[in-house]
Amino acid sequence: MARVVYHLPDGTTKAVEVPAGQSVMDGSVRNNLPGIVAECGGSCSCATCHVYLPDSSSDLFDPPSAEESELVEFLDGSQSNSRLSCQLIVGEQDEVHVEVVDSSV
Ligand code: FES
């Protein structure tokens, strides 16, 4: 279980308790938060679950797979800290922060 703090595209934040084994994307979709669309349902193929992972949270997750890195590279607004939130699997972190990129536009 981790407290995931979503920094939303409208400038607000929303904190959600996400159970271990679920992804940061799951936590957003299950709580109807805006920005993360997750068209493919988490199979690392749509890239509509784009987030920026701040330095403070980057060590809390495994590095991206080659498949994820390839998808992220070609996204609008791609940065060195871009991740696909369906690939960020929650464990026993205390608190995680992500900046949500609006994938609905
Ligand atoms: S939900 Fe489709 S790539 Fe993450």
Side-chain angles (χ1 to χ4, degrees):
M1 175 85 79
R3 176 182 152 91
V4 180
V5 182
Y6 297 88
H7 297 259
L8 300 171
D10 67 0
T12 62
T13 60
K14 179 86 180 170
V16 171
E17 300 291 334
V18 179
Q22 292 189 8
S23 68
V24 170
M25 175 278 280
D26 288 322
S28 174
V29 169
R30 285 167 199 244
N31 289 281
N32 295 314
L33 303 186
I36 293 177
V37 176
E39 257 168 32
C40 76
S43 60
C44 197
S45 60
C46 72
T48 60
C49 61
H50 183 195
V51 297
Y52 300 129
L53 196 58
D55 285 349
S56 60
S57 295
S58 63
D59 289 345
L60 302 176
F61 296 98
D62 291 336
S65 65
E67 190 181 14
E68 180 185 348
S69 294
E70 261 175 45
L71 271 174
V72 159
E73 193 179 333
F74 297 105
L75 281 174
D76 277 351
S78 179
Q79 299 181 1
S80 58
N81 62 348
S82 288
R83 293 295 305 263
L84 298 181
S85 57
C86 67
Q87 303 303 300
L88 300 175
I89 306 300
V90 169
E92 297 302 330
Q93 303 95 331
D94 289 333
E95 185 167 285
V96 170
H97 288 258
V98 294
E99 184 182 340
V100 176
V101 181
D102 192 353
S103 294
S104 64
V105 290

